[in-house]
Amino acid sequence: MGIIAWIILGLIAGAIAKAIYPGNQGGGILATMALGIVGALLGGWLGSALGIGGASAASAGALSIPGIIFAVLGAMIVIFIWGLVTRRAA
């Protein structure tokens, strides 16, 4: 059930991260959803692996304040990496 919660949270976190992240990221709604899901999973994994700031709460129930924070941070990291990859390709 935790993975499903992170996927749902990733849809929201992708939109939040894209709004917060400066610059033009390109991509449409599907790219935003995919990057948000990957970012939320990455953020949840990093939070539980590092064990910082309520990470156990973030990994146990993704729909909590620490879960949202980790998901948005993870989505921002993925958007940054995606920007580096697509900038080189274009």
Side-chain angles (χ1 to χ4, degrees):
M1 194 65 178
I3 293 288
I4 295 172
W6 280 108
I7 290 173
I8 292 169
L9 182 60
L11 297 173
I12 299 166
I16 293 171
K18 194 165 188 175
I20 292 172
Y21 196 80
N24 183 15
Q25 294 84 38
I29 189 74
L30 293 177
T32 300
M33 290 190 298
L35 293 174
I37 291 170
V38 171
L41 292 172
L42 173 71
W45 178 78
L46 283 176
S48 62
L50 296 175
I52 55 172
S56 60
S59 62
L63 300 176
S64 63
I65 297 298
I68 293 169
I69 292 170
F70 280 110
V72 171
L73 289 175
M76 288 179 74
I77 291 169
V78 170
I79 288 173
F80 173 74
I81 293 170
W82 181 255
L84 291 177
V85 169
T86 58
R87 194 172 318 146
R88 289 185 190 157

Coordinates of all heavy atoms in Angstrom, one line a residue:
M1 N 0.8 -1.2 0.0 CA 0.0 0.0 0.0 C 0.9 1.3 0.0 O 0.4 2.3 -0.5 CB -0.9 0.0 1.2 CG -2.0 0.9 1.2 SD -3.1 0.5 -0.2 CE -4.3 1.8 0.0
G2 N 2.1 1.2 0.5 CA 3.0 2.3 0.6 C 3.4 2.8 -0.8 O 3.4 4.0 -1.0
I3 N 3.6 1.9 -1.7 CA 4.0 2.3 -3.1 C 2.9 3.0 -3.8 O 3.1 4.0 -4.5 CB 4.4 1.0 -3.9 CG1 5.7 0.4 -3.4 CG2 4.6 1.3 -5.4 CD1 6.9 1.2 -3.6
I4 N 1.7 2.6 -3.6 CA 0.5 3.2 -4.2 C 0.4 4.6 -3.7 O 0.1 5.6 -4.4 CB -0.8 2.4 -4.0 CG1 -0.6 1.1 -4.7 CG2 -2.0 3.2 -4.5 CD1 -1.7 0.1 -4.5
A5 N 0.6 4.8 -2.4 CA 0.5 6.1 -1.8 C 1.6 7.1 -2.3 O 1.3 8.2 -2.6 CB 0.6 6.0 -0.3
W6 N 2.8 6.5 -2.5 CA 3.9 7.3 -3.1 C 3.6 7.7 -4.5 O 4.0 8.8 -5.0 CB 5.2 6.6 -3.0 CG 5.8 6.7 -1.6 CD1 5.9 5.7 -0.7 CD2 6.3 7.9 -1.0 NE1 6.4 6.3 0.5 CE2 6.7 7.6 0.3 CE3 6.5 9.2 -1.4 CZ2 7.3 8.5 1.2 CZ3 7.1 10.1 -0.6 CH2 7.5 9.7 0.7
I7 N 2.9 6.8 -5.3 CA 2.6 7.1 -6.7 C 1.6 8.2 -6.7 O 1.7 9.2 -7.5 CB 2.1 5.8 -7.4 CG1 3.3 4.9 -7.6 CG2 1.5 6.2 -8.7 CD1 2.9 3.5 -8.2
I8 N 0.5 8.1 -5.9 CA -0.5 9.2 -5.9 C 0.1 10.5 -5.4 O -0.1 11.5 -6.0 CB -1.6 8.8 -4.9 CG1 -2.4 7.6 -5.5 CG2 -2.6 9.9 -4.7 CD1 -3.4 6.9 -4.6
L9 N 1.0 10.4 -4.4 CA 1.7 11.6 -3.9 C 2.6 12.2 -5.0 O 2.8 13.4 -5.1 CB 2.4 11.3 -2.7 CG 3.2 12.5 -2.0 CD1 2.2 13.6 -1.7 CD2 3.9 12.1 -0.8
G10 N 3.2 11.3 -5.8 CA 4.1 11.7 -6.9 C 3.4 12.6 -7.9 O 4.0 13.5 -8.5
L11 N 2.1 12.3 -8.2 CA 1.4 13.1 -9.2 C 1.2 14.5 -8.7 O 1.4 15.4 -9.5 CB 0.0 12.4 -9.4 CG 0.0 11.0 -10.0 CD1 -1.5 10.5 -10.0 CD2 0.5 11.0 -11.4
I12 N 1.0 14.7 -7.4 CA 0.9 16.0 -6.8 C 2.2 16.6 -6.7 O 2.4 17.8 -7.0 CB 0.1 15.9 -5.5 CG1 -1.3 15.3 -5.7 CG2 0.1 17.3 -4.8 CD1 -1.9 14.9 -4.4
A13 N 3.2 15.9 -6.2 CA 4.5 16.4 -6.0 C 5.2 16.9 -7.3 O 5.9 17.9 -7.3 CB 5.4 15.4 -5.3
G14 N 4.9 16.2 -8.4 CA 5.5 16.6 -9.6 C 5.0 18.0 -10.0 O 5.8 18.9 -10.5
A15 N 3.7 18.3 -9.8 CA 3.2 19.6 -10.2 C 3.7 20.7 -9.2 O 4.1 21.8 -9.7 CB 1.7 19.6 -10.1
I16 N 3.8 20.4 -8.0 CA 4.4 21.3 -7.0 C 5.8 21.6 -7.3 O 6.3 22.8 -7.3 CB 4.2 20.8 -5.5 CG1 2.7 20.7 -5.2 CG2 4.9 21.7 -4.6 CD1 2.4 20.1 -3.9
A17 N 6.6 20.6 -7.5 CA 8.0 20.7 -7.8 C 8.3 21.5 -9.1 O 9.2 22.4 -9.2 CB 8.7 19.4 -7.9
K18 N 7.5 21.3 -10.1 CA 7.6 22.0 -11.4 C 7.3 23.5 -11.2 O 7.9 24.4 -11.8 CB 6.7 21.4 -12.4 CG 7.1 21.9 -13.8 CD 6.5 21.0 -14.9 CE 7.0 21.4 -16.2 NZ 6.5 20.5 -17.2
A19 N 6.3 23.8 -10.3 CA 5.9 25.2 -10.0 C 7.0 25.9 -9.2 O 7.3 27.1 -9.4 CB 4.6 25.2 -9.3
I20 N 7.7 25.2 -8.3 CA 8.7 25.7 -7.4 C 10.0 25.9 -8.2 O 10.7 26.9 -8.0 CB 8.9 24.9 -6.2 CG1 7.7 24.9 -5.3 CG2 10.1 25.3 -5.4 CD1 7.7 24.0 -4.1
Y21 N 10.4 24.9 -9.0 CA 11.7 24.8 -9.6 C 11.8 26.0 -10.6 O 10.9 26.2 -11.5 CB 11.9 23.5 -10.3 CG 13.3 23.2 -10.7 CD1 14.2 22.7 -9.7 CD2 13.7 23.4 -12.0 CE1 15.5 22.4 -10.1 CE2 15.0 23.1 -12.3 CZ 15.9 22.6 -11.4 OH 17.2 22.4 -11.7
P22 N 12.9 26.8 -10.6 CA 13.0 27.9 -11.5 C 13.4 27.5 -12.9 O 13.9 26.4 -13.1 CB 14.2 28.7 -10.8 CG 15.0 27.7 -10.1 CD 14.0 26.7 -9.6
G23 N 13.0 28.3 -13.8 CA 13.3 28.1 -15.2 C 12.3 27.3 -16.0 O 11.2 27.0 -15.4
N24 N 12.5 27.1 -17.2 CA 11.6 26.3 -18.1 C 12.1 24.9 -18.2 O 13.1 24.6 -18.6 CB 11.6 27.0 -19.5 CG 10.6 26.3 -20.4 OD1 9.7 25.6 -20.0 ND2 10.7 26.6 -21.7
Q25 N 11.2 24.0 -17.7 CA 11.6 22.6 -17.7 C 11.1 21.9 -19.0 O 11.6 20.8 -19.3 CB 11.0 21.8 -16.5 CG 11.5 22.2 -15.2 CD 10.9 23.5 -14.6 OE1 9.6 23.6 -14.8 NE2 11.6 24.3 -14.0
G26 N 10.1 22.4 -19.7 CA 9.6 21.8 -20.9 C 8.8 20.5 -20.4 O 8.5 20.3 -19.3
G27 N 8.4 19.8 -21.4 CA 7.6 18.6 -21.1 C 6.1 19.0 -20.8 O 5.8 20.1 -20.3
G28 N 5.2 18.1 -21.0 CA 3.8 18.3 -20.8 C 3.4 17.7 -19.5 O 4.2 17.4 -18.6
I29 N 2.1 17.5 -19.4 CA 1.5 16.9 -18.2 C 1.9 15.5 -17.9 O 2.2 15.1 -16.8 CB -0.1 17.1 -18.2 CG1 -0.7 16.7 -16.9 CG2 -0.6 16.2 -19.3 CD1 -0.5 17.8 -15.9
L30 N 2.1 14.7 -19.0 CA 2.5 13.3 -18.8 C 4.0 13.3 -18.3 O 4.3 12.4 -17.4 CB 2.4 12.5 -20.1 CG 1.0 12.3 -20.6 CD1 1.0 11.6 -21.9 CD2 0.1 11.6 -19.5
A31 N 4.8 14.1 -18.8 CA 6.2 14.2 -18.3 C 6.3 14.6 -16.8 O 7.0 14.1 -16.0 CB 7.0 15.1 -19.2
T32 N 5.4 15.6 -16.5 CA 5.4 16.1 -15.1 C 4.9 15.0 -14.2 O 5.5 14.8 -13.1 CB 4.4 17.3 -15.0 OG1 4.9 18.3 -15.8 CG2 4.3 17.8 -13.6
M33 N 3.9 14.2 -14.6 CA 3.4 13.1 -13.8 C 4.4 12.1 -13.6 O 4.7 11.6 -12.5 CB 2.1 12.5 -14.3 CG 0.9 13.5 -14.2 SD -0.7 12.7 -14.6 CE -0.4 12.2 -16.3
A34 N 5.1 11.7 -14.7 CA 6.1 10.6 -14.6 C 7.3 11.1 -13.7 O 7.8 10.3 -12.9 CB 6.6 10.3 -16.0
L35 N 7.8 12.3 -13.9 CA 8.9 12.8 -13.1 C 8.5 12.9 -11.7 O 9.3 12.7 -10.8 CB 9.4 14.1 -13.7 CG 10.1 14.1 -15.0 CD1 10.4 15.5 -15.5 CD2 11.3 13.3 -15.0
G36 N 7.2 13.3 -11.4 CA 6.8 13.4 -10.0 C 6.7 12.1 -9.3 O 7.1 12.0 -8.2
I37 N 6.2 11.1 -10.0 CA 6.2 9.7 -9.5 C 7.6 9.2 -9.2 O 7.8 8.7 -8.1 CB 5.4 8.8 -10.4 CG1 3.9 9.2 -10.4 CG2 5.6 7.3 -9.9 CD1 3.1 8.4 -11.5
V38 N 8.5 9.3 -10.1 CA 9.9 8.9 -9.9 C 10.5 9.7 -8.8 O 11.2 9.1 -7.9 CB 10.7 9.0 -11.2 CG1 12.2 8.8 -10.9 CG2 10.2 8.1 -12.3
G39 N 10.3 11.0 -8.7 CA 10.8 11.8 -7.7 C 10.2 11.5 -6.3 O 11.0 11.5 -5.3
A40 N 9.0 11.2 -6.2 CA 8.4 10.8 -5.0 C 8.9 9.5 -4.5 O 9.2 9.3 -3.3 CB 6.9 10.7 -5.1
L41 N 9.1 8.5 -5.4 CA 9.7 7.3 -5.0 C 11.1 7.5 -4.5 O 11.6 6.9 -3.5 CB 9.6 6.3 -6.1 CG 8.2 5.8 -6.4 CD1 8.2 4.9 -7.7 CD2 7.6 5.0 -5.3
L42 N 11.9 8.3 -5.2 CA 13.3 8.6 -4.9 C 13.3 9.3 -3.5 O 14.1 9.0 -2.7 CB 13.9 9.5 -5.9 CG 15.3 10.0 -5.6 CD1 16.3 8.9 -5.6 CD2 15.7 11.1 -6.5
G43 N 12.4 10.3 -3.3 CA 12.4 11.0 -2.1 C 12.0 10.1 -0.9 O 12.6 10.2 0.2
G44 N 11.1 9.2 -1.1 CA 10.7 8.3 0.0 C 11.8 7.3 0.3 O 12.1 7.0 1.5
W45 N 12.5 6.9 -0.7 CA 13.6 6.0 -0.5 C 14.8 6.7 0.2 O 15.3 6.2 1.2 CB 14.1 5.4 -1.8 CG 15.3 4.5 -1.7 CD1 15.3 3.2 -1.2 CD2 16.7 4.9 -1.9 NE1 16.6 2.7 -1.2 CE2 17.4 3.7 -1.5 CE3 17.3 6.0 -2.3 CZ2 18.8 3.7 -1.7 CZ3 18.7 6.0 -2.4 CH2 19.4 4.9 -2.1
L46 N 15.1 7.9 -0.2 CA 16.2 8.7 0.4 C 15.8 9.0 1.8 O 16.7 8.9 2.7 CB 16.5 10.0 -0.4 CG 17.3 9.8 -1.6 CD1 17.4 11.2 -2.3 CD2 18.6 9.3 -1.4
G47 N 14.6 9.4 2.1 CA 14.2 9.7 3.4 C 14.3 8.6 4.4 O 14.8 8.7 5.5
S48 N 13.9 7.4 3.9 CA 13.9 6.2 4.8 C 15.4 5.7 4.9 O 15.8 5.2 6.0 CB 13.0 5.1 4.3 OG 13.4 4.7 3.0
A49 N 16.2 5.8 3.9 CA 17.6 5.4 3.9 C 18.4 6.3 4.8 O 19.3 5.8 5.6 CB 18.2 5.3 2.5
L50 N 18.2 7.6 4.8 CA 19.0 8.5 5.6 C 18.5 8.6 7.0 O 19.2 8.9 7.9 CB 19.0 9.9 5.0 CG 19.6 10.0 3.6 CD1 19.5 11.4 3.1 CD2 21.1 9.7 3.7
G51 N 17.2 8.3 7.2 CA 16.6 8.3 8.6 C 16.6 9.7 9.2 O 16.9 9.8 10.4
I52 N 16.4 10.7 8.4 CA 16.4 12.1 9.0 C 15.0 12.7 9.0 O 14.2 12.4 8.1 CB 17.3 13.0 8.2 CG1 16.9 13.0 6.7 CG2 18.8 12.6 8.3 CD1 17.7 14.0 5.8
G53 N 14.7 13.5 10.0 CA 13.6 14.3 10.0 C 12.2 13.7 9.8 O 11.5 14.1 8.9
G54 N 12.0 12.6 10.5 CA 10.7 11.9 10.4 C 10.6 11.0 9.2 O 9.5 10.9 8.6
A55 N 11.7 10.5 8.8 CA 11.7 9.7 7.6 C 10.9 8.4 7.8 O 10.3 7.9 6.9 CB 13.2 9.3 7.2
S56 N 10.9 7.9 9.0 CA 10.1 6.7 9.3 C 8.6 7.0 9.1 O 7.9 6.2 8.5 CB 10.3 6.2 10.7 OG 10.0 7.2 11.6
A57 N 8.2 8.2 9.4 CA 6.8 8.6 9.2 C 6.6 8.8 7.7 O 5.5 8.5 7.2 CB 6.5 9.9 9.9
A58 N 7.6 9.3 7.0 CA 7.5 9.5 5.6 C 7.4 8.2 4.8 O 6.7 8.1 3.8 CB 8.7 10.3 5.0
S59 N 8.1 7.2 5.3 CA 8.1 5.9 4.6 C 6.9 5.1 5.0 O 6.4 4.3 4.2 CB 9.4 5.1 4.8 OG 9.5 4.8 6.2
A60 N 6.4 5.3 6.2 CA 5.2 4.6 6.6 C 3.9 5.0 6.0 O 3.1 4.2 5.5 CB 5.1 4.6 8.2
G61 N 3.7 6.3 5.9 CA 2.5 6.9 5.3 C 2.9 8.1 4.5 O 3.3 9.1 5.0
A62 N 2.9 7.9 3.2 CA 3.3 9.0 2.3 C 2.5 10.2 2.4 O 3.0 11.3 2.1 CB 3.4 8.5 0.9
L63 N 1.3 10.1 2.8 CA 0.4 11.3 2.9 C 0.5 12.0 4.2 O -0.5 12.2 4.9 CB -1.0 10.9 2.5 CG -1.2 10.3 1.1 CD1 -2.6 9.8 0.9 CD2 -0.8 11.3 0.1
S64 N 1.7 12.4 4.6 CA 2.0 13.1 5.8 C 2.9 14.3 5.4 O 3.4 14.3 4.3 CB 2.7 12.2 6.8 OG 3.9 11.8 6.3
I65 N 3.1 15.2 6.3 CA 3.9 16.4 6.0 C 5.3 16.0 5.6 O 5.8 16.4 4.6 CB 3.9 17.4 7.2 CG1 2.5 17.9 7.4 CG2 4.9 18.5 7.0 CD1 1.9 18.7 6.3
P66 N 6.0 15.1 6.4 CA 7.3 14.7 6.0 C 7.3 14.0 4.6 O 8.2 14.1 3.8 CB 7.8 13.8 7.1 CG 7.0 14.1 8.3 CD 5.7 14.5 7.7
G67 N 6.3 13.2 4.4 CA 6.2 12.5 3.1 C 6.0 13.5 1.9 O 6.7 13.3 0.9
I68 N 5.2 14.5 2.1 CA 5.1 15.5 1.1 C 6.4 16.2 0.8 O 6.8 16.4 -0.3 CB 3.9 16.5 1.4 CG1 2.6 15.7 1.4 CG2 3.9 17.7 0.5 CD1 1.5 16.5 2.0
I69 N 7.1 16.6 1.9 CA 8.4 17.3 1.8 C 9.4 16.4 1.0 O 10.0 16.9 0.1 CB 8.9 17.7 3.1 CG1 8.0 18.8 3.7 CG2 10.3 18.2 3.0 CD1 8.3 19.2 5.2
F70 N 9.5 15.2 1.4 CA 10.5 14.3 0.7 C 10.1 14.0 -0.7 O 10.9 14.0 -1.6 CB 10.6 12.9 1.5 CG 11.5 13.0 2.7 CD1 10.9 12.9 4.0 CD2 12.8 13.2 2.6 CE1 11.7 13.0 5.1 CE2 13.6 13.2 3.7 CZ 13.1 13.1 4.9
A71 N 8.8 13.9 -1.0 CA 8.3 13.7 -2.4 C 8.6 14.9 -3.2 O 9.1 14.8 -4.4 CB 6.8 13.4 -2.4
V72 N 8.4 16.1 -2.7 CA 8.7 17.3 -3.5 C 10.2 17.5 -3.8 O 10.6 17.8 -4.9 CB 8.0 18.6 -2.9 CG1 8.5 19.8 -3.6 CG2 6.5 18.5 -2.9
L73 N 10.9 17.3 -2.7 CA 12.4 17.4 -2.9 C 12.9 16.3 -3.9 O 13.8 16.6 -4.7 CB 13.1 17.2 -1.5 CG 12.9 18.4 -0.5 CD1 13.6 18.0 0.8 CD2 13.5 19.6 -1.1
G74 N 12.4 15.1 -3.8 CA 12.8 14.1 -4.7 C 12.4 14.4 -6.2 O 13.2 14.2 -7.1
A75 N 11.2 15.0 -6.3 CA 10.8 15.4 -7.7 C 11.6 16.5 -8.2 O 11.9 16.6 -9.4 CB 9.3 15.8 -7.6
M76 N 12.0 17.5 -7.3 CA 12.9 18.6 -7.8 C 14.3 18.0 -8.2 O 14.8 18.5 -9.2 CB 13.1 19.6 -6.7 CG 11.8 20.4 -6.5 SD 11.9 21.6 -5.2 CE 13.0 22.8 -6.0
I77 N 14.8 17.0 -7.5 CA 16.0 16.4 -7.9 C 15.9 15.7 -9.3 O 16.8 15.9 -10.2 CB 16.5 15.4 -6.8 CG1 16.9 16.1 -5.6 CG2 17.6 14.5 -7.4 CD1 17.1 15.2 -4.4
V78 N 14.8 15.0 -9.5 CA 14.6 14.3 -10.8 C 14.4 15.3 -11.9 O 14.9 15.2 -13.0 CB 13.4 13.4 -10.7 CG1 13.0 12.8 -12.0 CG2 13.7 12.2 -9.7
I79 N 13.7 16.4 -11.6 CA 13.5 17.5 -12.7 C 14.9 18.1 -13.0 O 15.1 18.4 -14.2 CB 12.5 18.6 -12.2 CG1 11.1 18.0 -12.2 CG2 12.6 19.8 -13.0 CD1 10.0 18.9 -11.6
F80 N 15.7 18.3 -12.0 CA 17.0 18.9 -12.3 C 17.8 17.9 -13.1 O 18.5 18.3 -14.1 CB 17.8 19.1 -10.9 CG 19.2 19.5 -11.1 CD1 19.5 20.8 -11.6 CD2 20.2 18.6 -10.8 CE1 20.9 21.2 -11.7 CE2 21.6 19.0 -11.0 CZ 21.9 20.3 -11.4
I81 N 17.9 16.6 -12.8 CA 18.6 15.6 -13.6 C 18.0 15.5 -15.0 O 18.8 15.5 -16.0 CB 18.6 14.3 -12.9 CG1 19.4 14.4 -11.6 CG2 19.2 13.2 -13.8 CD1 19.3 13.2 -10.7
W82 N 16.7 15.6 -15.1 CA 16.1 15.5 -16.4 C 16.4 16.7 -17.3 O 16.7 16.6 -18.5 CB 14.5 15.4 -16.2 CG 13.8 15.3 -17.5 CD1 13.1 16.3 -18.2 CD2 13.7 14.2 -18.4 NE1 12.6 15.8 -19.4 CE2 13.0 14.5 -19.5 CE3 14.2 12.9 -18.3 CZ2 12.7 13.6 -20.5 CZ3 13.9 12.0 -19.3 CH2 13.2 12.4 -20.4
G83 N 16.5 17.9 -16.7 CA 17.0 19.1 -17.4 C 18.4 18.9 -17.9 O 18.7 19.4 -19.0
L84 N 19.3 18.3 -17.1 CA 20.6 18.1 -17.6 C 20.7 17.2 -18.7 O 21.4 17.4 -19.7 CB 21.5 17.6 -16.4 CG 21.8 18.6 -15.3 CD1 22.6 17.9 -14.2 CD2 22.5 19.8 -15.7
V85 N 19.9 16.1 -18.7 CA 19.9 15.1 -19.7 C 19.3 15.7 -21.0 O 19.9 15.5 -22.1 CB 19.1 13.8 -19.3 CG1 18.9 12.9 -20.4 CG2 19.9 13.1 -18.1
T86 N 18.2 16.4 -20.9 CA 17.6 16.9 -22.1 C 18.3 18.1 -22.7 O 18.2 18.3 -23.9 CB 16.1 17.2 -21.9 OG1 16.0 18.2 -20.8 CG2 15.3 16.0 -21.5
R87 N 19.0 18.8 -21.9 CA 19.7 20.0 -22.4 C 20.9 19.5 -23.3 O 21.2 20.1 -24.3 CB 20.3 20.8 -21.2 CG 20.7 22.2 -21.7 CD 21.1 23.1 -20.5 NE 20.1 22.9 -19.5 CZ 20.3 23.0 -18.2 NH1 21.6 23.3 -17.8 NH2 19.4 22.9 -17.3
R88 N 21.5 18.4 -22.9 CA 22.7 17.9 -23.7 C 22.2 17.3 -25.0 O 22.9 17.3 -26.0 CB 23.4 16.8 -22.9 CG 24.2 17.4 -21.7 CD 25.0 16.3 -21.0 NE 25.5 16.9 -19.8 CZ 25.9 16.2 -18.8 NH1 25.8 14.9 -18.8 NH2 26.4 16.7 -17.7
A89 N 21.0 16.7 -24.9 CA 20.5 16.0 -26.1 C 20.0 17.0 -27.2 O 20.0 16.7 -28.4 CB 19.3 15.1 -25.7
A90 N 19.5 18.2 -26.7 CA 18.9 19.1 -27.7 C 20.0 20.0 -28.4 O 21.1 20.1 -28.1 CB 18.0 20.1 -26.9

